[in-house]
Amino acid sequence: MSNPPDQVPPRHLPLLKGRSGRPMPRVGAAQSDAVPRMENVRITAPDLARQIALEKTRCRLVIAAGCFTVLFSAVLAKLALATIIMPVLPHRMAHEVTEIVANAPPAPIEATLPGQRAMITDRNGQPMAISISTVSLFADPRQIADPDDAARKLAHVLPRLDVAETVDRLKRDKKFIYLAREITPREEKAVNDLGIPGVDFRPTQHREYPLGRTAAQVLGGVDVDESGFAGVEKYFDERLRTDPEPLRLSIDLHVQAAVREELMNAMRTFEAIGGCGIVMDVHTGEVLAMVSLPDYDANLVRTAPGDDRFNRAVEGRYEPGSTFKLQTASMALDSGLVHIWDQFDASRNISVGRFTISDFEGKHRWLYLPEVLAYSSNLGAAHIALTVGAERQQAWLRNMGMFDRIGIELPEANRPIIQPAARWKELVTMTVGFGHGISVTPLHVVRGTAAVANGGLLPRPTILALDPGQEPETVRVMRPSTSDIMRRLMRLVVTDGFGKSAEVPGYYPGGKTGTAEKVTAHGGYKKHSNVAAFMSVFPMNAPRYAVYMMLDEPHGNKGTHGYSTAGWVVAPAAGKVIARIAPMLGMLPDLVDMPAINQALAIPLQPNRPSGVTARGPAPAVTAARSLTTSKPAVSQNRPALTVPPTVLPPAVTQPSSDRRQDARLQPNLAASPVMTVSTVASVVAR
């Protein structure tokens, strides 16, 4: 019996080899005469497929790992290039960012259809008001056979129609009457399906404000006939009707939203009845934000309450309080009658008749001019105003535009309330010196402060964006050297005075707090009802923007220790606004050059008097310095002549008033705004 022949393994199955790689001998044979024999191991098809799949997975993982290695290597190389090998200089980066923002083209705007009211956009081309084509329902009563039946059918389709009123209209002896305006396409089809003779449609337009409450008082509104009756819609009504090109406002919607949000938060925190916020370019006069709270949905302007439609920025007239001390100091310095090393008596109150002027938490000593602003001394400001005199004070305020409407393109812009020239005596001169006895709009304060900070040029505020290359309207009202000193004094208020909570590292803001009691309708003051405002400009080394924040009747809380003055309730909100809007405007905080900028803006609270120069102070001329009746002090020969000549004012329409104002004492350890880690936007201005 012979052994069966060895079966040849399939070619697709691999041969099994020994550990040394040689063929294995047959089992049981002697080593010497063993015949090598190949042993075969069978691998099934599923096992082979599994091995192939594992091999593919391994290849894919290797490829993926290689890709991630290349990616992270590129990132590391880029970081090394940007931070170690070729770091971008902060000044260069800030310049590039500013240039990109300035040269960015406005977003494309769709053309207005013929016959439509022109679109209104912000400075970046974002739509703020658009017109949508719609239809209105009208009827010819002479063609209506059964007015009662027609009215019932129409009311079934248009539930907002009053049946009795519609019947009355359809019975009139007229050729044309409106039944409903701005009906929807679905309503139009339903009415058309009724087939009522004498009822037809007329193409009309509906004005839509896609942003609702944003800049509602600025935009105003239109009536059912698309005629403007408030705000920009009224002022530019003819332009919007005849010119299809979009009307480009100076408003920046991003800045507007930031100001509104911070103002709303402050209102809620301190339970104020209203508020106002303004951001303006100090060089061009362009208003980038104008917020008045409470506000309303611009689409519902016809039914909005009157208080919501009231634009506090240009309609509201308030005593500016201590924010006006910037005007008093500028006037005195520019006249040459006062220097920063002069001292003024704040050691005792001033009594004139039944009126008494005092300081809130005063120092009870003679104060240098920088201290008068930093500590917001009413007594010091009153003495400064008397030093300059009533006539020069009136001339200065007139040149600053404080006696006229502001001139912005808003029909609601109000005229200030001033004292008649015949009553502008010693008492009025003193009270106006610290912001009482005169009522102006917040935009008046912003405009005047812009001139103080920008080198002495008074801009004309505008709600329209200037075209590239267009020169702004400005008038010189003070010397550049006066403006340079005032910038340092405004910065001093934030670093060492009552405006510390408005500090924003890297942006070097300056400003002035102001708290004034509200005036009643009969000319008196409402006790414990204040208007708290903070007027700021940033950056003070190269001023660009003015920020004004105001709260109407704020209430103190535990966080402010019961104080409701500007330094506690408004200055922090102004700082938050500056920190938010500056990057939006292409400005980056300068932390690298902070020592040099602080040195350039530094001014001591008690400046040294130059040798050989006469200075006002407690000695040796105490009697002359404390005199309350000297309105025309002698001018020393080493001081320049006046730049504002005396002038006589026409009579005004209000009663004189005087009272004390209150300002805030800031907590020394108030936290400053968070430090930003990006670079500079402005170079240091040489002293």
Side-chain angles (χ1 to χ4, degrees), residues 385 393 419-420 423-433 436-437 656-658:
Q393 185 185 55
Q419 304 294 336
R423 295 180 178 176
W424 203 297
K425 304 299 182 182
E426 181 182 89
L427 178 61
V428 174
T429 300
M430 288 189 291
T431 58
V432 170
H436 280 63
S657 58
S658 172

Side-chain angles (χ1 to χ4, degrees), residues 334 396 399-401 448 451-452 455-458 475-479 643-644:
D334 200 68
W396 177 271
N399 288 346
M400 281 289 182
V452 170
L457 297 175
L458 185 70
V475 177
R476 178 161 293 283
V477 291
M478 74 177 70
R479 293 174 295 184
T643 58
V644 180

